[in-house]
């Protein structure tokens, strides 16, 4: 009985005293350039793992609110719904979800259908090649992740045909209540002869803010 | 947000842990024989300065907006501030950040649909991407069929040219 108690206490301690992160918010800027158009978006984001709503309160170029929930993206202006459209289920694979669930180092691939094919050290980087199951290799390409000091440094995505699709770099990590969060993400997407550049900056990141319930559980109209 | 590749993973969570174990084991076993090529390792390097240079116009605009809370693009444009010229697209759509939108931010399908073969040519020369050209081809077919139907209806109702007797 005594030993059982010790074992139960041992496992419970992790649950009781371990920090559970469920909310994340902060300011964001997204810059995009692909040679034909340039775009800048600035605003505030909110994500709650429980409600699974990802909210972008955009203030530039014009004030708007975007809410990604399930497979629908809602757009609001002055509090009124402007549009809603079907999207892939991206929320649980967003950067915010991966950070909160502490799955960012593997880019969430450990819990996906991808499997590690090989891992090796290249200078200060640990490179892992992930491949989809054989039955899906005509739809999905391989992915290489790079860890530096046990945090995600970059990802390389390939097309099913083996061509380079995009590269992402996660930089300028900040420690927020013990969670390491990249505050600068560079994405370079290869499209034929052109490269699309994107830079995402995150600022003033806060975790587990329980004071701002409205945006974390943004009211949505019935489908 | 920018989660291009992520959505690919959004389904198919596999629960076969035995397979995973075997795959990981084989993966590590093969790791000794298969080296990640130096070319791939080099892809984890990029020229930070050149990216910053490419985005410099937008960075100046970003700094201005961050320093002037409440300013919108239309306010900056109406004040005649040249920084506003850095913006050539005003649409933010977090869902489409993951997809290529085609030349000038117009989806390749609509290039083909609205401009037919000429639109396809624009997509071909600008993107050099077979997937985008295929989308524009589908648009071209849809546009052509729609035109024929509309033309027929127009004639049938007498709204266009000659009338069927």
């Amino acid at each position: 009985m005594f030993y059982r108690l010790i074992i139960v206490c041992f496992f419970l301690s992790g649950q009781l005293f371990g920090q559970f992160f469920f909310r994340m918010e902060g300011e964001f800027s997204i810059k995009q350039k692909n040679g034909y158009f340039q775009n800048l978006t600035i605003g505030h984001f909110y994500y709650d793992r429980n409600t699974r709503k990802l909210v972008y309160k955009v203030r530039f170029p014009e004030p708007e609110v975007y809410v990604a929930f399930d497979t629908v993206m809602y757009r609001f202006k002055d509090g009124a719904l402007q549009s809603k459209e079907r999207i892939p289920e991206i929320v649980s694979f967003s950067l915010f979800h991966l950070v909160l669930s502490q799955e960012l180092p593997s880019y969430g691939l450990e819990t996906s259908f991808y499997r590690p094919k090989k891992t090796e050290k290249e200078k200060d980087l640990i490179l892992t090649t992930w491949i989809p199951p054989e039955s899906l290799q005509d739809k999905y390409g391989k992915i290489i992740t790079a860890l530096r000091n046990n945090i995600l440094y970059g990802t390389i995505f390939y097309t099913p045909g083996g061509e380079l699709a995009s590269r992402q770099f996660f930089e300028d990590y900040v420690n927020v209540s013990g969670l390491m969060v990249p505050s600068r993400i560079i994405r370079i997407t290869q499209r034929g002869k052109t490269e699309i550049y994107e830079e995402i900056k995150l600022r003033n990141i806060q975790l587990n803010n329980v004071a701002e319930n409205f945006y974390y559980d943004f009211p949505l109209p019935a489908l | 947000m920018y989660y291009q590749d992520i959505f690919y993973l959004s389904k198919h969570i596999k629960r076969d842990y035995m397979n995973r174990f075997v795959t990981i084991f084989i993966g590590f076993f093969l790791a000794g024989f298969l080296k990640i090529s130096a070319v791939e390792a080099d892809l984890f390097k990029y020229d930070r300065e050149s990216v910053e240079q490419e985005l410099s116009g937008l960075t100046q605009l970003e700094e201005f907006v961050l320093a002037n809370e409440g300013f919108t693009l239309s306010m900056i444009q109406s004040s005649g501030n040249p920084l506003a010229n850095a913006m050539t697209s005003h649409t933010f759509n977090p869902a489409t950040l993951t997809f290529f939108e085609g030349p000038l931010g117009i989806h390749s399908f609509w290039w083909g649909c609205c401009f037919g073969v000429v639109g396809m040519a624009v997509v071909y020369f600008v993107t050099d991407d077979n997937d985008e050209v295929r989308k524009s081809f589908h648009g071209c077919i849809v546009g052509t069929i729609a035109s024929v139907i509309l033309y027929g209806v127009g004639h049938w109702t007498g709204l266009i040219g000659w009338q069927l007797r």
Side-chain angles (χ1 to χ4, degrees):
Chain A
M1 185 62 190
F2 175 71
Y3 294 112
R4 268 189 211 165
L5 196 62
I6 288 177
I7 291 167
V8 168
C9 287
F10 176 79
F11 283 108
L12 271 181
S13 63
Q15 300 297 316
L16 293 175
F17 301 114
Q19 180 81 314
F20 179 71
F21 298 105
F22 66 104
R23 281 186 173 179
M24 186 174 175
E25 69 174 86
E27 292 166 25
F28 71 91
S29 304
I30 302 174
K31 285 176 266 181
Q32 289 178 288
K33 181 178 182 182
N34 80 348
Y36 309 104
F37 71 92
Q38 297 192 139
N39 181 276
L40 169 68
T41 308
I42 296 175
H44 202 103
F45 69 87
Y46 301 85
Y47 177 64
D48 187 315
R49 277 176 76 182
N50 297 321
T51 62
R52 291 193 172 248
K53 288 176 183 171
L54 177 54
V55 178
Y56 297 97
K57 186 183 168 192
V58 174
R59 72 173 171 93
F60 184 89
E62 301 298 333
E64 284 177 318
V65 174
Y66 292 81
V67 184
F69 177 62
D70 196 14
T71 55
V72 181
M73 176 69 72
Y74 300 83
R75 184 170 68 89
F76 297 87
K77 194 171 176 66
D78 299 326
L81 179 66
Q82 301 296 306
S83 65
K84 56 182 179 181
E85 60 178 288
R86 290 268 167 202
I87 58 167
E89 209 280 304
I90 58 170
V91 173
S92 50
F93 288 88
S94 67
L95 171 75
F96 313 116
H97 186 86
L98 294 177
V99 167
L100 290 177
S101 61
Q102 300 178 42
E103 291 181 87
L104 188 61
S106 74
Y107 202 67
L109 293 169
E110 263 179 1
T111 51
S112 77
F113 59 82
Y114 272 82
R115 295 289 170 265
K117 182 185 173 190
K118 54 184 171 176
T119 299
E120 69 178 308
K121 199 166 188 307
E122 181 73 29
K123 293 180 182 168
D124 59 341
L125 297 177
I126 305 290
L127 305 178
T128 303
T129 302
W130 302 80
I131 53 166
E134 217 166 275
S135 58
L136 293 172
Q137 284 181 0
D138 58 332
K139 293 190 179 77
Y140 306 98
K142 72 175 177 182
I143 300 170
I144 301 177
T145 56
L147 291 181
R148 177 182 281 162
N149 299 327
N150 293 324
I151 54 177
L152 184 67
Y153 170 70
T155 56
I156 299 178
F157 286 80
Y158 287 87
T159 65
E163 292 166 349
L164 177 67
S166 69
R167 298 184 288 155
Q168 290 182 107
F169 300 91
F170 301 81
E171 301 176 337
D172 302 345
Y173 275 81
V174 290
N175 187 327
V176 187
S177 306
L179 268 191
M180 296 303 286
V181 185
S183 64
R184 183 173 187 260
I185 298 132
I186 296 287
R187 186 157 160 232
I188 303 171
T189 306
Q190 201 70 38
R191 290 294 176 196
K193 294 168 189 166
T194 59
E195 283 187 329
I196 301 170
Y197 295 103
E198 284 174 51
E199 183 191 57
I200 297 161
K201 279 185 182 169
L202 305 178
R203 290 177 293 272
N204 302 326
I205 300 163
Q206 292 180 59
L207 299 174
N208 291 1
N209 178 5
V210 291
E212 187 92 55
N213 283 325
F214 180 78
Y215 282 103
Y216 279 113
D217 192 8
F218 197 90
L220 296 174
L223 281 174
Chain B
M1 214 147 108
Y2 63 101
Y3 313 105
Q4 152 203 358
D5 321 291
I6 301 171
F7 101 97
Y8 290 134
L9 319 175
S10 61
K11 291 180 182 170
H12 314 289
I13 302 294
K14 197 173 180 179
R15 301 180 195 286
D16 188 346
Y17 292 102
M18 192 60 203
N19 277 355
R20 178 186 295 190
F21 174 77
V22 172
T23 311
I24 290 171
F25 177 79
I26 293 171
F28 279 105
F29 180 74
L30 289 175
F33 300 97
L34 301 170
K35 289 280 289 177
I36 291 174
S37 73
V39 175
E40 286 177 334
D42 284 347
L43 289 174
F44 281 105
K45 296 172 190 159
Y46 77 97
D47 187 347
R48 186 167 175 152
E49 273 184 25
S50 82
V51 171
E52 284 173 357
Q53 183 64 35
E54 284 286 329
L55 299 172
S56 59
L58 290 172
T59 303
Q60 285 179 20
L61 179 61
E62 177 191 25
E63 285 166 358
F64 178 84
V65 174
L66 291 176
N68 295 279
E69 182 92 20
F71 265 66
T72 63
L73 180 64
S74 49
M75 291 163 75
I76 297 173
Q77 282 172 330
S78 60
S79 70
N81 191 326
L83 285 176
N85 297 335
M87 288 280 283
T88 55
S89 168
H90 307 160
T91 309
F92 170 63
N93 188 339
T96 58
L97 284 182
T98 60
F99 306 107
F100 182 57
E101 291 186 60
L104 300 173
I106 300 168
H107 196 285
S108 302
F109 177 88
W110 294 111
W111 275 103
C113 189
C114 299
F115 303 108
V117 178
V118 175
M120 279 180 66
V122 170
V123 173
Y124 174 77
F125 287 112
V126 170
T127 70
D128 192 23
D129 185 321
N130 286 342
D131 283 343
E132 297 302 322
V133 177
R134 192 180 305 119
K135 285 178 198 168
S136 68
F137 176 65
H138 292 158
C140 183
I141 292 172
V142 171
T144 305
I145 293 170
S147 305
V148 169
I149 292 172
L150 282 175
Y151 204 67
V153 170
H155 280 303
W156 185 261
T157 56
L159 294 173
I160 302 173
W162 46 265
Q163 195 165 0
L164 292 174
R165 295 171 192 279

